[in-house]
């Protein structure tokens, strides 16, 4: 069985949390597991906008994830990750197509995602899916501790 024939399913909190967190922590590039991914923070976010997906493998381990959220105005996609052994087989595209479709059904018209400048593979991947760099926008951030 390959990734193109495996079925997508929704994330189940708290049942899937530990496995998915370990998967994110093992991804070599592009996923930053931070304070907002701690169990209680994650549960709060999950309950607010439960558009979370992952693909279970046939070996009972996560092989891909994507999270999409919608605040009623804009969508946000993050934590797209595919196991390195399965990249290039269409799994990332399937996950993105699914989360975009779910966001559209919620009424989302515009969506954002963040990619680090040095992650050229991710930049190329998203551009190939029709995402474009928003050069006119400056992204500001602040840690609220």
């Amino acid at each position: 069985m390959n990734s193109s024939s495996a079925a997508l399913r929704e994330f189940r909190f708290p049942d899937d949390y530990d496995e998915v967190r370990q998967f994110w922590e093992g991804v070599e590039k592009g996923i930053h597991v931070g304070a907002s991914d701690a169990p209680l923070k994650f549960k709060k976010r999950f309950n607010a906008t439960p558009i979370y997906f992952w693909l279970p493998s046939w070996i009972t381990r996560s092989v891909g994830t994507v999270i999409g959220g919608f605040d009623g105005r804009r969508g946000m996609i993050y934590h797209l990750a595919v196991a390195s052994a399965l990249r290039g087989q269409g799994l990332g595209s399937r996950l993105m197509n699914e989360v975009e479709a779910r966001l559209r059904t919620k009424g989302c018209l515009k969506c954002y995602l963040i990619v680090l400048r040095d992650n050229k593979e991710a930049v190329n991947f998203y551009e190939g899916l029709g995402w474009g760099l928003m050069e006119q926008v400056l992204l500001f951030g602040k840690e609220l501790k």
Side-chain angles (χ1 to χ4, degrees):
M1 175 184 275
N2 63 33
S3 62
S4 63
S5 63
L8 294 173
R9 76 163 174 85
E10 291 189 23
F11 178 90
R12 293 184 287 246
F13 186 86
D15 300 343
D16 297 327
Y17 175 81
D18 289 335
E19 179 188 330
V20 169
R21 172 131 184 177
Q22 287 177 341
F23 174 68
W24 291 335
E25 289 171 345
V27 173
E28 66 282 352
K29 186 177 183 180
I31 299 290
H32 171 74
V33 179
S36 65
D37 295 310
L40 292 177
K41 297 282 187 186
F42 192 87
K43 179 181 179 182
K44 182 178 180 181
R45 188 173 66 217
F46 179 76
N47 289 334
T49 54
I51 310 172
Y52 295 67
F53 305 93
W54 71 300
L55 184 90
S57 82
W58 45 95
I59 317 170
T60 69
R61 289 194 350 229
S62 297
V63 296
T65 65
V66 66
I67 299 174
F70 181 55
D71 66 6
R73 183 169 182 264
R74 296 286 186 256
M76 186 73 184
I77 294 176
Y78 49 101
H79 283 13
L80 173 67
V82 174
S84 58
L86 296 176
R87 292 184 191 144
Q89 297 182 27
L91 177 53
S93 297
R94 283 186 65 207
L95 288 164
M96 287 298 293
N97 290 338
E98 180 68 22
V99 78
E100 288 177 29
R102 297 286 181 113
L103 288 166
R104 274 192 296 281
T105 64
K106 295 248 181 214
C108 183
L109 300 175
K110 188 177 277 189
C111 195
Y112 303 123
L113 56 83
I114 298 170
V115 178
L116 297 176
R117 280 188 202 279
D118 67 346
N119 194 344
K120 300 294 184 204
E121 297 88 359
V123 169
N124 293 337
F125 172 78
Y126 290 119
E127 286 177 342
L129 294 179
W131 288 76
L133 182 61
M134 299 174 60
E135 294 181 16
Q136 71 280 15
V137 175
L138 298 176
L139 177 64
F140 289 81
K142 181 179 181 181
E143 293 284 332
L144 302 177
K145 297 183 179 186

